[in-house]
Amino acid sequence: MTKTKLSLIALALTAGLGLLALKSRNAPAKPHAAKRPNIIVILADDMGYSDMGCYGGEIHTPNLDYLAQNGLRYRQFYNTSRCCPTRASLLTGLYNQQAGIGKMTEAENQPGYQGHITENTVTLAEVLKTAGYQTGMTGKWHVSNTFTQKTPQEQLAWLNHQKEAGPFSPIEQYPTSRGFDKYFGTIWGVIDFFDPFSLVNGQEPVKSVPKDYYHTDAINDTTVAYIREFAKSDKPFFLYVAQNAPHWPLQAKPEDIDKYKDTYKGGWEAVRRARYERMVKMGLIDPKITPLPETPAGSVKWEANPDREWDARAMAVHAAMIDRMDQGIGRIIRTLKQTGELDNTLILFLTDNGASPENCAKYGPGFDRPSETRDGRKIVYATEKQVMPGPQTSYASIGPRWASVANTPYRYAKAESFEGGINTPVIAFWPGGITAKKGSYSDHTGHVMDLMATFCELSGAKYPKQFKNNAIKPTTGTSLVSSFSGKPSKGHSELFNEHFGARYARQGNWKLVSTAADSTWQLYDLSTDHSETQNLAATHPEKVKYLAGLWHQWANTHQVFPKPGKQGPSK
């Protein structure tokens, strides 16, 4: 039997197990008084702060809303503003530069810019395995060096599934080499949702997929299959479910798009205002502290937008991708109920960064973007909005105006260190362990690197000083467990970030921040202005100087500097 057939059989078996989960009878609840919790982390990709219903959005997310209504929502929890850096920080309990991914996945010549999570780190899976946990991952890896072909033509042939070229990254950097017992997903970041490049089962490439394949469904159904397998053991399990949705390209199933065909025809101003009003009504934000920022100067009004039909469709596809993800999360929740594991499972849902303002069509085919489908249909990069988004043959993204809506009430978006780029919605759900009032909010200042300390505390695992003969960097995260009680819990007193020149330093409620395009520091008091609308730098120069000093001290001691091509530390 060929490897291709074996891969397809493995894929079909995994999907089949997921579908069987829906038909299984309810299992009796298992006693777990002294049992350590199962842990599931679900990470969305490029989803905005207010996209979910439970964070003010109009998108239909009943399963995420269920987790929120029966769990805890965080209001100031931070990622690192972009896909792979956030993943590196989340997985290792370190700032992303300490973990080796200061930029993207290219290997560069400085410690903080290796393009993969380095050997002097440990992953959540590696640590939890030492405490007896079963470990599995589904979805987007994106923390390993990406191989490329010798010529652009060979690269496109690889991306288009017209040739095979071996591993997508060094095998020693695959999830199964970093503590995960089981893995199904894509090694690279960007995908075709109907026929993804870099798809592997364990370490074996999946060389073909069924005609009705949709990657979000495959991620969630494989997660269901893993839960059913792990639940047969008395050992607790850890699952990392790294969704690709709703990252561009905008690709969704027609029946999901149809749900939202009229939702966004009223335009971005109306949708943004409605989201904000819902956030205020549900008590998620205080309008006195978090006002709705003015629309950026020069932005096109919806009524004057000549591409209203295309733009309404683009946001409808974005919503459809999130809707489909939520449907799969519902299957995960039902499977936990059926196996008797729900009450003793901690589920954390969060996003890797704010919604993306990119016009991905302008990138064109190449590197990780195909030029045609497997069966030879050309992919249209809709630089002039000449084809509607949604199908496999269209390559497009929502753009800056809808990204601003998705990130309501915050300014800026993915890749920036303003709240719109780094403040992630977080839901914590654990019936057997969270004692805070159901549906309540937490002002605990958290960060994705905190998952390591949290899971060590809950599992009894010890974060190591040495692992596989490597000295391991001390974790920079703090445990979230104190926030689960609902009592006042402060979290981090200081936080920092840097990505492609965008940066911030936060101490208490003071935040110093600058954009990637302009290194001029801006200063905000988040206790009175969480939307970052009133720059106080001119009236508090001493605070600017002090926080800038803290930022440089952090950057020089956490592998931000030296940057590739630069010598010595920052001054």
Side-chain angles (χ1 to χ4, degrees), residues 7 10 23 32 37 63-64 91 109 134 173 175 187 189 200 215 218 275 299 341 373 407 415 435 441 456 506 516 520:
S7 298
K23 301 178 181 179
H32 54 257
N63 298 296
L64 288 167
L91 282 164
N109 63 340
Q134 306 169 89
Q173 296 175 13
I187 298 297
V200 302
H215 193 53
R275 285 192 178 194
S299 297
E341 299 288 352
T373 64
N407 295 328
T435 57
Y441 303 108
C456 283
R506 174 173 172 167
T520 304

Side-chain angles (χ1 to χ4, degrees), residues 8 14 52 120 130 140 176 186 230 243 271 281 321 336 360 386 417 460 475 477 484 494 501 547:
L8 187 54
T14 301
M52 291 183 286
N120 57 351
T130 67
K140 175 174 172 176
T176 50
T186 52
F230 288 160
Q243 307 279 351
V271 176
K281 185 176 181 179
M321 295 170 80
L336 289 168
C360 71
Q386 65 269 41
S417 285
T475 180
F484 292 169
E494 295 180 349
L547 290 175

Side-chain angles (χ1 to χ4, degrees), residues 52-68:
M52 291 183 286
C54 55
Y55 271 80
E58 67 293 321
I59 300 172
H60 189 59
T61 55
N63 298 296
L64 288 167
D65 297 349
Y66 166 81
L67 296 178

Side-chain angles (χ1 to χ4, degrees), residues 61-82:
T61 55
N63 298 296
L64 288 167
D65 297 349
Y66 166 81
L67 296 178
Q69 291 157 6
N70 292 278
L72 187 63
R73 275 167 284 183
Y74 290 80
R75 294 193 270 213
Q76 46 182 8
F77 200 106
Y78 294 96
N79 52 55
T80 71
S81 82
R82 206 177 199 122

